[in-house]
Amino acid sequence: MYDHYGWNEHEASQEPPAAPSMRAATSGQYSQEWWLDQLRELHDRLIAVESWQHGVDARTEQQNAKSRRGSSVQHDISRLRETVGQLSDGVTVLATRVERLESRTRQVEGLLDRLRSAGVRDAIATGEAPSDMHRRHSQIKERYQRLVDQDLRNLARELCPADARPWDRVPGGMPAARARAVAETVHLLFAPARQGAAAAPEDVFSVLTERGYATEGADPRLRKVVDAANGIIRDMAAVELPATLQFDVGVDALAEGDYQPYNRQDTGTPGFVVAPAYAVQGEAPEHHLKAFVFLVPDEAP
């Protein structure tokens, strides 16, 4: 068996045989077969040495490769740590910039709020509303006009049918009775908003029934006008420039030109307010939606 140097372990402890002398070698003392065996043995030993050398070279290369891989891994880890550190620094810088941006955004929002407030105060002081607020109020005015002049007029026909009560005995007849029904409904729809509440269809229905109006079958239309009124109140409050419905202004305080006739006639004496004016604070009176007033027809001479 050969050791790692390629030598037979039994042969290593013995003295190698002495080489024959030239005379012995040429005298025929050693046969040709003996010399061939010697040559084969020498050849085998050379092969064993070469194999051992190749093994040593291979192991050396493996160690070198491992060393190179270890060095490469260490280098990669170092670069990775460096990259992580750079990313961490970048995140910190970005977070700082975001905080500054948020701070500036809050400052800008505060400035805009102050400018809007200043604009509202200026509009109130000068009597000129900012265009966007004025436009929003104009849209709400149109809805309020439609509610009074169309939806509630149609509801009044159901509340005051011709065959339910002797409406003709009411001063002003059937037109005045239906206008009164509209006036009372308007008050029921919008009065709760003064206490921060919304009108409830059941409450409006109950009060109108107690006052003798024909509410049977009027529930669908009544719920529609309640929803419309609550929407108007909600949208009025959402506009920064305040607006009010002038319930406190009586018919006697209205000069000619400050109202519009509810019963659509040009002549007559103002009898009562059917629906109050829609007034935007700081807006010139001529821009208000004028109050609806029932005109009592003049008596024929």
Side-chain angles (χ1 to χ4, degrees):
M1 179 175 181
Y2 292 99
D3 60 9
H4 60 282
Y5 293 105
W7 303 105
N8 187 293
E9 59 184 1
H10 298 291
E11 292 177 347
S13 61
Q14 300 175 358
E15 291 293 333
S21 64
M22 181 61 65
R23 179 178 298 178
T26 57
S27 64
Q29 183 179 352
Y30 295 95
S31 65
Q32 184 176 359
E33 288 76 9
W34 183 89
W35 284 110
L36 290 175
D37 290 337
Q38 294 297 315
L39 290 176
R40 281 195 294 269
E41 183 179 352
L42 180 60
H43 179 264
D44 292 341
R45 288 178 180 272
L46 287 174
I47 292 176
V49 170
E50 289 178 355
S51 176
W52 172 80
Q53 183 64 45
H54 287 317
V56 170
D57 292 342
R59 287 193 293 273
T60 302
E61 180 61 26
Q62 289 177 356
Q63 293 296 328
N64 292 336
K66 289 181 180 180
S67 177
R68 287 194 298 271
R69 284 198 299 272
S71 177
S72 176
V73 169
Q74 291 297 326
H75 179 68
D76 291 342
I77 292 175
S78 298
R79 292 189 60 184
L80 180 60
R81 288 175 177 172
E82 181 180 355
T83 302
V84 170
Q86 293 174 350
L87 290 175
S88 178
D89 294 341
V91 170
T92 302
V93 172
L94 182 60
T96 301
R97 291 180 179 178
V98 169
E99 290 179 359
R100 292 176 180 175
L101 181 60
E102 290 177 346
S103 177
R104 291 180 181 179
T105 301
R106 289 191 293 269
Q107 293 175 358
V108 171
E109 290 177 348
L111 178 60
L112 290 176
D113 289 339
R114 290 193 294 272
L115 289 174
R116 281 193 291 265
S117 299
V120 172
R121 290 194 297 270
D122 184 65
I124 295 174
T126 62
E128 296 180 358
S131 60
D132 58 335
M133 299 180 190
H134 178 74
R135 181 167 53 254
R136 291 168 65 186
H137 275 305
S138 295
Q139 295 170 349
I140 301 172
K141 287 177 186 178
E142 292 176 0
R143 291 159 55 192
Y144 177 66
Q145 169 108 22
R146 184 167 58 251
L147 174 67
V148 174
D149 205 26
Q150 297 181 20
D151 298 336
L152 289 176
R153 192 185 293 274
N154 293 332
L155 176 64
R157 294 192 182 97
E158 296 185 16
L159 296 177
C160 303
D163 57 350
R165 286 177 55 183
W167 301 109
D168 290 340
R169 297 180 184 179
V170 177
M174 179 68 77
R178 289 178 174 172
R180 287 285 184 187
V182 172
E184 293 181 19
T185 305
V186 167
H187 187 270
L188 293 172
L189 292 176
F190 292 97
R194 296 183 176 183
Q195 285 75 41
E202 295 77 11
D203 295 338
V204 177
F205 186 90
S206 177
V207 172
L208 292 177
T209 302
E210 291 176 359
R211 295 178 182 178
Y213 291 104
T215 53
E216 298 83 359
D219 184 73
R221 193 181 297 276
L222 184 60
R223 290 184 180 275
K224 178 182 177 181
V225 299
V226 170
D227 290 341
N230 287 336
I232 289 172
I233 294 170
R234 181 178 58 253
D235 292 345
M236 287 175 65
V239 182
E240 294 177 358
L241 191 61
T244 57
L245 298 178
Q246 297 181 328
F247 280 99
D248 298 333
V249 179
V251 69
D252 296 336
L254 296 174
E256 187 175 358
D258 292 341
Y259 58 84
Q260 54 183 316
Y262 178 76
N263 46 339
R264 299 173 181 174
Q265 63 185 40
D266 297 331
T267 60
T269 303
F272 56 90
V273 175
V274 177
Y278 185 114
V280 178
Q281 189 172 355
E283 193 176 57
E286 59 267 21
H287 295 149
H288 296 171
L289 178 61
K290 298 177 181 179
F292 295 85
V293 172
F294 179 80
L295 299 180
V296 178
D298 295 331
E299 296 182 0

